[in-house]
Amino acid sequence: MPTVARDSFRFWTRLTLTKLTGRRASDLAELVEQLRTVPPSVVFHHTHHFLVQHQHLSPEPPNDFAFWVSNVLQEEQLGERLAAIDTIQFAHLRELRDRIVDVIDAYLEQRKELRAAPTGEEFHFMDAVSFTLPTRYQAWTLAEFAEALRHVGNATIAYHLFEARLRVGSDDNDFSRWLEQELGERELAPAIRKLDPYTHTSDGLRQRLIALIEQRIRAEAHR
Amino acid sequence: MTGGLDAYAPFVGAGTIEELRLLGDQLRNRRVQNINSTAVGGGVAEILNRLIPLLREVGIDARWDVMRGGDEFYAVTKAIHNGLHGKPVPLTDQDVEVFRQTTEQNLRTLELSDDIVFIHDPQPAGFIKRRAPGSRWIWRCHIDLSSPWPAVWDFVRESVEHYDVAVFSAPQFSRTLPIDQVLISPSIDPLADKNRELDPHTIDSVIAGLGIDPSRPLVTQVSRFDRLKDPLGVIEAFQLARKYNDAQLLLVGGSATDDPEGREVLAECRERAGTDPDIHVVELPPTANIEINAIQRASTVILQKSLREGFGLTVSEALWKGKPVIAGAVGGIPLQITHKYSGILTHTVEGTAYWIKQLLNAPEFARRLGENGREHVRQNFLLTRHLRDYMLLFLYLDHLGESLVGLGADGRGR
């Protein structure tokens, strides 16, 4: 008999409305200056919206800062460093922001001249309002959980895996927490926790999650 | 022209349609009054014509009123429009008075009692002075506001500052304002004649009718004959690229009979093309949507070499057809194209020529750009996304200043 949760897992989806802040930067000094003072949700937007909006692209899509620095300012060395920031290691957006600021500061210390963005290609700081709403997918067992994962939208997976942790301030991703607490999955939960969602496309991430769960279901069936 | 919401499911998935209906449930019976200055013609009327029925289908009590004004008023608002686009125009006391009087005349007859009043563009911006207690007001700007003439913007801003939210089409149009600003891009309708799938026979007959050889590569720009679309730059770039490549160029745009500058630009293009049999300069009536669709589908590479652009939706139209697009990095175009991922952004004639050559000679890369571009449009520039953003905006009016809004049965606030 499969383990059945007392509290089901309800899959939620997240929709965002993009806000404009009126803040902009034409060079690295302005970029870092603004970064120090923008709300953390702005940092979230520029490091995460690419994941959902460009989900068809290759893994490791660049964050907006890295993309702008490499492609507009043509500061490729710094762009590479910014793209390489390991977003998954930060539990709070403030820490992620500090890391981005440190990387730019360190680069600026060694450079005398600043390159300016061509007119019309300045960096525009944006923010987002997240709206969450329940989908009709719900799971009580591991098999139902895997089945729901096949159907939910990419935004649902993104929401439960990184938004819940970084924006809502949970100390864990929603999937691992539920699997551990409700189904006692002491190996599967850490395995999902160890996934780096930033190195997969949305569909790749979904397939990886389903594979991990199915592997676990098969192992259980053979016991 | 189009079916209901379910007709969009094949493009965006049943899940997206379900999300739209869920959002509609949250806004059921909410009264939303749209006001603009024209019932026909222009992008705003086109968008409202498509969106109002869909808003009503999901349960929102949406309606649309058109303001009235005389010639004098429209001369003033034309000057305001040009000023917001950056042209140094004087706004006299007389102009301000005409604007004020027309606003007052409309306010005497218009009923403004809906929950949400959604004002489009500067013409009706002054209606905010009749705001009913408890109502929410949105100002939607469809204009390129990246460098407005200060005196004109100051005049419009006096009204805009009293709204709850201002909406812009591209980040660079945002201004420093004491109210929330939201980014909502325009969209294309995949079911419209300009974008729907066409059978090969229709495409072949349109192309044959234009005297284009379907067996040779075709480079196309679809746009008005307007200097800001740089058609002469397109011809020059094509001529540079063609030195070592076989290709044909098609410059196609709306009829220029009513527009003196358009006639001039069209004549310049024809003169520059001369007797070159591989450069086709074609005028089509504004209703030639299927022809434009067929031309885009028959093209090998599509250009939008604009020097200035409000949004440049022709880029999304081309990307939706899976075509590799080379476009100027201006206005809303960088939102539609991520350079070398979903298209090519250029700044010069030489750069455009370089990339025409590259794409003609690297069909696999060109195909991938087109595929990524189509996916990007599917995610971000279809009508359903526009509908979703408008509904999120309506919901946000109940949560101004919040960054996380929980909706749903138990109102889980996360």
Side-chain angles (χ1 to χ4, degrees):
Chain A
M1 274 291 285
T3 311
V4 179
R6 277 166 301 135
D7 282 335
S8 65
F9 188 91
R10 169 61 76 110
F11 289 83
W12 284 62
T13 190
R14 185 266 284 110
L15 302 169
T16 56
L17 180 66
T18 305
K19 281 171 75 176
L20 297 166
T21 64
R23 296 191 192 210
R24 61 198 75 187
S26 311
D27 58 31
L28 282 175
E30 288 176 11
L31 183 77
V32 79
E33 189 59 37
Q34 295 281 10
L35 260 172
R36 289 183 217 279
T37 54
V38 292
S41 50
V42 171
V43 176
F44 183 84
H45 176 77
H46 288 294
T47 50
H48 289 76
H49 82 101
F50 210 88
L51 293 170
V52 176
Q53 287 182 359
H54 298 253
Q55 55 197 245
H56 50 283
L57 299 178
S58 59
E60 289 199 77
N63 64 63
D64 288 344
F65 305 118
F67 192 85
W68 185 72
V69 166
S70 295
N71 290 278
V72 175
L73 297 184
Q74 311 262 306
E75 301 271 13
E76 283 164 13
Q77 199 186 90
L78 175 62
E80 210 172 276
R81 289 203 179 120
L82 290 171
I85 289 176
D86 195 6
T87 312
I88 186 75
Q89 69 174 291
F90 300 99
H92 300 285
L93 287 167
R94 282 188 309 280
E95 294 165 11
L96 174 60
R97 178 231 303 267
D98 291 348
R99 178 75 185 131
I100 296 169
V101 167
D102 286 349
V103 168
I104 301 175
D105 274 345
Y107 184 79
L108 281 175
E109 270 173 30
Q110 292 165 16
R111 264 193 82 94
K112 297 280 181 291
E113 287 173 36
L114 289 177
R115 291 186 190 169
T119 307
E121 291 187 66
E122 296 84 2
F123 189 92
H124 296 273
F125 287 87
M126 292 183 244
D127 203 340
V129 188
S130 288
F131 296 81
T132 56
L133 63 166
T135 69
R136 61 187 162 94
Y137 298 102
Q138 209 167 352
W140 277 267
T141 65
L142 214 44
E144 287 169 0
F145 193 81
E147 185 57 21
L149 276 177
R150 289 180 217 282
H151 299 288
V152 294
N154 290 329
T156 293
I157 295 178
Y159 170 69
H160 288 295
L161 270 189
F162 33 76
E163 181 145 1
R165 196 173 64 85
L166 270 177
R167 279 200 83 174
V168 186
S170 309
D171 53 3
D172 201 353
N173 73 73
D174 288 348
F175 291 161
S176 294
R177 190 178 45 242
W178 182 79
L179 290 166
E180 198 156 46
Q181 287 178 358
E182 290 294 325
L183 301 184
E185 289 292 341
R186 292 187 209 298
E187 283 172 24
L188 181 57
I192 290 176
R193 211 171 280 137
K194 267 174 64 184
L195 274 180
D196 182 351
Y198 301 94
T199 58
H200 296 75
T201 59
S202 298
D203 279 332
L205 189 57
R206 179 199 307 271
Q207 295 314 324
R208 185 79 193 110
L209 284 167
I210 293 171
L212 279 172
I213 296 166
E214 284 185 335
Q215 199 179 358
R216 171 73 188 125
I217 293 172
R218 277 196 302 275
E220 189 65 19
H222 284 106
R223 265 178 45 180
Chain B
M1 176 177 69
T2 60
L5 206 46
D6 287 334
Y8 294 87
F11 307 110
V12 297
T16 297
I17 303 300
E18 192 180 312
E19 268 173 11
L20 293 172
R21 294 196 190 283
L22 283 172
L23 287 175
D25 289 344
Q26 302 280 329
L27 289 159
R28 190 157 292 280
N29 300 326
R30 198 73 64 96
R31 294 172 306 149
V32 180
Q33 180 179 18
N34 289 270
I35 303 174
N36 80 325
S37 65
T38 172
V40 286
V44 180
E46 194 179 319
I47 284 170
L48 287 173
N49 263 317
R50 290 145 57 203
L51 279 177
I52 298 275
L54 296 179
L55 286 167
R56 296 187 70 86
E57 184 182 332
V58 298
I60 297 169
D61 185 4
R63 62 188 176 117
W64 172 17
D65 287 310
V66 178
M67 71 173 294
R68 287 158 195 262
D71 290 349
E72 218 184 354
F73 173 73
Y74 287 114
V76 172
T77 58
K78 175 76 182 168
I80 290 176
H81 184 93
N82 289 338
L84 293 179
H85 268 126
K87 201 169 167 186
V89 288
L91 208 55
T92 64
D93 290 348
Q94 169 69 15
D95 293 339
V96 171
E97 185 54 25
V98 167
F99 190 90
R100 196 191 61 76
Q101 277 179 9
T102 305
T103 298
E104 290 298 335
Q105 283 159 10
N106 277 272
L107 288 176
R108 278 198 283 276
T109 51
L110 260 179
E111 192 207 336
L112 294 169
S113 61
D114 286 17
D115 306 310
I116 296 169
V117 181
F118 200 161
I119 298 286
H120 298 264
D121 281 335
Q123 298 91 337
F127 292 9
I128 182 75
K129 65 168 72 165
R130 191 60 58 77
R131 175 184 188 142
S135 63
R136 294 291 190 189
W137 283 59
I138 302 164
W139 184 62
R140 187 2 163 175
C141 178
H142 298 268
I143 296 172
D144 177 349
L145 260 193
S146 48
S147 46
W149 184 244
V152 173
W153 169 237
D154 284 348
F155 174 71
V156 176
R157 194 182 56 192
E158 278 175 25
S159 296
V160 171
E161 287 183 348
H162 297 283
Y163 283 73
D164 293 297
V165 177
V167 183
F168 298 101
S169 297
Q172 63 270 36
F173 302 163
S174 119
R175 315 303 314 158
T176 304
L177 283 169
I179 59 171
D180 276 327
Q181 300 178 58
V182 162
L183 172 68
I184 298 182
S185 305
S187 59
I188 63 165
D189 185 347
L191 296 174
D193 281 346
K194 213 193 279 184
N195 300 309
R196 67 180 168 83
E197 292 293 328
L198 293 179
D199 62 86
H201 175 72
T202 307
I203 299 174
D204 293 347
S205 70
V206 169
I207 293 306
L210 294 170
I212 286 163
D213 178 355
S215 67
R216 294 168 57 213
L218 175 63
V219 178
T220 302
Q221 173 157 306
V222 177
S223 69
R224 286 196 317 275
F225 290 97
D226 178 332
R227 291 207 171 81
L228 293 178
K229 312 291 181 192
D230 200 16
L232 296 179
V234 167
I235 295 177
E236 201 183 328
F238 172 76
Q239 287 170 330
L240 283 172
R242 197 183 42 174
K243 280 186 187 162
Y244 308 101
N245 293 278
D246 176 43
Q248 310 162 88
L249 174 69
L250 173 57
L251 271 175
V252 56
S255 161
T257 48
D258 301 338
D259 171 13
E261 190 192 315
R263 270 202 304 276
E264 221 175 279
V265 176
L266 178 63
E268 287 167 14
C269 289
R270 291 210 160 119
E271 191 190 327
R272 185 69 62 91
T275 53
D276 189 329
D278 286 333
I279 300 181
H280 305 261
V281 179
V282 176
E283 239 186 314
L284 287 176
T287 50
N289 291 321
I290 291 176
E291 287 80 356
I292 295 291
N293 186 345
I295 287 166
Q296 287 170 326
R297 288 181 190 277
S299 300
T300 318
V301 173
I302 293 185
L303 308 181
Q304 187 59 57
K305 205 199 154 311
S306 301
L307 304 172
R308 191 96 194 257
E309 194 62 79
F311 195 79
L313 266 183
T314 47
V315 168
S316 277
E317 286 169 16
L319 294 174
W320 179 242
K321 286 144 194 144
K323 297 297 171 181
V325 177
I326 304 170
V330 294
I333 290 176
L335 289 178
Q336 299 169 77
I337 289 180
T338 300
H339 185 52
K340 294 198 274 187
Y341 282 109
S342 50
I344 299 295
L345 294 174
T346 61
H347 305 267
T348 58
V349 167
E350 291 80 1
T352 307
Y354 170 80
W355 280 108
I356 294 173
K357 282 189 290 190
Q358 296 297 323
L359 297 188
L360 289 177
N361 290 312
E364 186 50 34
F365 175 58
R367 191 187 57 76
R368 216 166 50 240
L369 291 180
E371 262 176 25
N372 282 345
R374 179 172 161 93
E375 279 310 304
H376 187 55
V377 172
R378 186 199 306 280
Q379 307 283 343
N380 300 292
F381 296 107
L382 294 186
L383 186 61
T384 40
R385 190 275 312 150
H386 206 159
L387 178 67
R388 185 198 66 199
D389 282 355
Y390 275 177
M391 288 198 280
L392 291 176
L393 172 61
F394 300 157
L395 287 165
Y396 179 62
L397 293 171
D398 293 336
H399 300 271
L400 289 171
E402 295 177 28
S403 64
L404 290 167
V405 178
L407 306 168
D410 58 0
R412 186 170 97 149
R414 46 178 301 181

